[in-house]
Amino acid sequence: MTLTKSESLPLFLNGTVIDVETTEDKKVTCFGRVNGSHLWQLVRQEHDSYEDFVKKCLNELTYCRHPFYAYVKAFEEECLGIRVEKELQHSPYEAKRFAIQVLHLPDCFKGVGAECMYAWDKYVETKNEFYLSQIVAHNRACLIQELMINAADQL
């Protein structure tokens, strides 16, 4: 069964921020989005059908407001096969942790998304869902950072 996590945020976004975590071959392991003031995440488990997981992600987006935002727009477009209207990254290869710092935002990977690939591999190897929780926590941190970048861009 695919795991979901949902929470309300004390902010409102006119649109939807999208962030995915992937394997090395760009298969999505965690999908997250902030739509309005609602943060929602979907994390794949090893036994889930990859095609069904991606369908759930895409189905979730059918209910979301445009424009769609992503930190690296081309990455989310490639991984999900969707159109993202706005890129939040200001310059090529700019690390998100240098674009904005949100103090006390829990992220066990300290902004390094590649760590999610290793956590997925550890999860597959051990079946320990602790590694999935790390991926979800990192994805949540990314979504909040991207939401803050979008807010700062509006000032």
Side-chain angles (χ1 to χ4, degrees), residues 54-121:
V54 172
K55 282 180 190 174
K56 285 180 186 178
C57 297
L58 295 176
N59 185 56
E60 177 62 26
L61 287 174
T62 62
Y63 303 102
C64 294
R65 293 179 192 87
H66 285 264
F68 287 168
Y69 299 88
Y71 191 69
V72 181
K73 153 183 160 113
F75 185 74
E76 267 72 17
E77 288 178 333
E78 179 182 352
C79 292
L80 293 170
I82 62 169
R83 183 171 173 270
V84 174
E85 290 93 348
K86 306 241 180 184
E87 182 163 67
L88 297 170
Q89 183 181 47
H90 293 132
S91 60
Y93 309 107
E94 176 184 40
K96 199 178 304 168
R97 66 185 178 274
F98 298 125
I100 194 160
Q101 292 183 357
V102 181
L103 297 178
H104 310 294
L105 182 63
D107 182 359
C108 56
F109 300 143
K110 297 183 180 12
V112 181
E115 292 294 326
C116 289
M117 294 180 217
Y118 307 125
W120 176 261
D121 290 342

Side-chain angles (χ1 to χ4, degrees), residues 13-73:
L13 171 69
N14 189 18
T16 304
V17 170
I18 300 165
D19 189 71
V20 297
E21 310 309 329
T22 68
T23 60
E24 287 184 58
D25 59 351
K26 296 187 180 174
K27 291 200 182 264
V28 179
T29 57
C30 184
F31 165 85
R33 61 96 178 130
V34 175
N35 180 49
S37 61
H38 188 248
L39 186 149
W40 189 85
Q41 295 171 283
L42 187 66
V43 63
R44 180 164 60 103
Q45 292 183 293
E46 181 189 20
H47 59 272
D48 291 336
S49 156
Y50 182 71
E51 292 75 20
D52 289 346
F53 177 78
V54 172
K55 282 180 190 174
K56 285 180 186 178
C57 297
L58 295 176
N59 185 56
E60 177 62 26
L61 287 174
T62 62
Y63 303 102
C64 294
R65 293 179 192 87
H66 285 264
F68 287 168
Y69 299 88
Y71 191 69
V72 181
K73 153 183 160 113

Side-chain angles (χ1 to χ4, degrees), residues 7-13 34-39 140 144 147-148 151:
E7 66 182 285
S8 291
L9 298 174
L11 301 163
F12 185 84
L13 171 69
V34 175
N35 180 49
S37 61
H38 188 248
L39 186 149
R140 178 182 181 274
I144 291 172
L147 185 60
M148 296 295 99

